[in-house]
Amino acid sequence: MKIIDLLTQKSLSLSFEVFPPKTQTSFESVKTATEEIAKLRPAFMSVTYGAGGGTSRYTLDIAQNIKQHYGVPALEHLTCVSSTKETVRQKIREIQAAGICNVMALRGDVPAELQNADRSVWDYRYAVELVYELKQADADFCIGGACYPEIHPESSNQTEDIKHLKEKVDAGCDFLTTQMFFDNNLLYNFLYKIREAGITVPVIPGIMPITNANQVVRAIQLSGSFVPQRFKSLVDKFGSDPAAMKQAGIAYATDQIIDLYANGITNVHVYSMNKPDVAAKIQSNLSDILGK
Ligand code: FAD
């Protein structure tokens, strides 16, 4: 099932993100966690891909398992920045052979050791080149791309960032998923600007339930997201009490989703981070709204 065909319904639906194991040793525990999330019957599940190659080999195994055994459409992430054309083309053939038709085309983060390398000789410098590659493949992929309501950290300004986003969409992205954000107004503002710039594909907001105080620091370092005072107060009050912090973080994410739906957004992607209990709690908080 193509994700683009799931994005037309009028009622709220949730999708969940998981990440693959780093090593064979943790494969079974990660597989079990992703299966528990699949049993919640989300609209689809996305499986991340390690940019440096470290966690890349199990992405397809996890995606295929979710799809084959649980009937949940899988979105396979694929990055290109430190890969050769040969590697990427081989990966695309494997994805196709596994029967996965949804691919999230990402550049990936440039590994620290390559920060000062000569990028002009790389096979891929931007995600748009991976979108072209997927379009040229002998397959009919539904292609997703990443977008950044608060600007990608490497962009000097939002106009430039949106210009490049438009190029990526025009190259063949069927939908976009956003970086996490903690203030919905940032998303509404971003949507207004990209629609004005002529980007018309569906945009799926990405919501990260923050369930422990350390995660706040990590998430913000990685994403550069703005943290509203209302969220900071939760961390100040509950940060040292893990159970209370988890409850407050899930409640905050639930509130964000309700506000998005109240403002006309029907598909929300939850960065559930291999935590079935968090995914289940968000879903049960919204049970009447979701009709589940
Ligand atoms: P791009 O679209 O290539 O954009 C990167 C930067 O380059 C932006 O600043 C853009 O404005 C600029 N740019 C684009 N085209 C041009 C151009 N022609 N000339 C000049 N500048 C240009 N990372 C992983 O490693 N694995 C994952 O599974 C993963 N999943 C993600 C899922 C989502 C929803 C999001 C939001 C991010 C994800 N990431 C993942 C992180 C992502 O790889 C990084 O944010 C990365 O730095 C940018 O990837 P991109 O695909 O957005 O790149």
Side-chain angles (χ1 to χ4, degrees):
M1 180 90 184
K2 285 188 173 183
I3 285 168
I4 188 68
D5 296 328
L6 299 167
L7 303 179
T8 52
Q9 91 294 342
K10 299 262 182 288
S11 55
L12 177 65
S13 77
L14 299 181
S15 51
F16 293 122
E17 182 157 299
V18 295
F19 56 86
K22 283 198 170 66
T23 59
Q24 181 64 43
T25 324
S26 54
F27 185 84
E28 280 308 315
S29 64
V30 170
K31 182 167 162 259
T32 304
T34 61
E35 288 173 345
E36 291 305 311
I37 294 176
K39 286 179 195 163
L40 298 170
R41 316 255 355 120
F44 68 88
M45 285 170 70
S46 69
V47 189
T48 65
Y49 189 88
T55 63
S56 312
R57 46 190 287 228
Y58 302 111
T59 298
L60 192 52
D61 295 335
I62 297 289
Q64 206 175 8
N65 183 51
I66 290 162
K67 177 174 181 272
Q68 269 178 3
H69 295 112
Y70 294 87
V72 175
L75 170 61
E76 161 107 6
H77 289 206
L78 182 60
T79 63
C80 60
V81 73
S82 47
S83 297
T84 61
K85 288 217 174 217
E86 202 184 4
T87 316
V88 165
R89 286 174 186 166
Q90 174 59 24
K91 202 76 211 176
I92 292 172
R93 283 193 291 273
E94 287 170 18
I95 293 171
Q96 194 184 1
I100 304 283
C101 62
N102 302 297
V103 181
M104 187 76 176
L106 298 147
R107 186 196 69 175
D109 286 318
V110 177
E113 68 276 14
L114 295 178
Q115 283 295 345
N116 298 318
D118 173 12
R119 300 187 185 194
S120 67
V121 298
W122 293 358
D123 281 356
Y124 302 96
R125 287 185 298 164
Y126 301 108
V128 66
E129 294 157 320
L130 179 55
V131 177
Y132 286 133
E133 199 73 69
L134 287 160
K135 290 305 268 187
Q136 275 165 23
D138 183 21
D140 184 21
F141 289 120
C142 172
I143 303 172
C147 65
Y148 303 82
E150 297 174 69
I151 312 180
H152 185 270
E154 289 166 33
S155 284
S156 52
N157 61 69
Q158 195 166 38
T159 308
E160 276 294 303
D161 206 26
I162 291 177
K163 185 182 123 202
H164 294 308
L165 183 62
K166 172 112 174 40
E167 288 160 5
K168 190 160 69 174
V169 170
D170 289 348
C173 282
D174 296 293
F175 68 93
L176 298 168
T177 305
T178 76
Q179 179 61 284
M180 69 180 86
F181 55 88
F182 300 102
D183 177 347
N184 287 1
N185 287 326
L186 293 165
L187 177 87
Y188 302 138
N189 193 272
F190 173 71
L191 287 177
Y192 176 79
K193 287 181 178 164
I194 64 166
R195 298 310 184 209
E196 236 193 353
I199 298 173
T200 57
V201 294
V203 176
I204 309 177
I207 296 296
M208 167 78 93
I210 297 283
T211 53
N212 69 65
N214 294 338
Q215 202 190 345
V216 182
V217 180
R218 260 200 326 270
I220 292 153
Q221 267 171 359
L222 280 173
S223 66
S225 304
F226 164 71
V227 183
Q229 189 53 48
R230 194 165 83 82
F231 193 82
K232 283 186 191 150
S233 305
L234 294 187
V235 180
D236 285 347
K237 178 79 180 165
F238 304 117
S240 56
D241 178 341
M245 184 63 230
K246 189 168 173 179
Q247 195 168 45
I250 290 173
Y252 190 94
T254 305
D255 264 6
Q256 274 192 281
I257 297 171
I258 292 172
D259 179 71
L260 290 168
Y261 186 45
N263 282 283
I265 286 161
T266 50
N267 302 96
V268 179
H269 195 55
V270 179
Y271 292 114
S272 48
M273 309 285 284
N274 297 2
K275 291 179 186 151
D277 55 331
V278 173
K281 187 67 188 152
I282 289 189
Q283 193 158 295
S284 75
N285 283 350
L286 296 165
S287 57
D288 286 338
I289 296 173
L290 287 163
K292 285 195 182 187

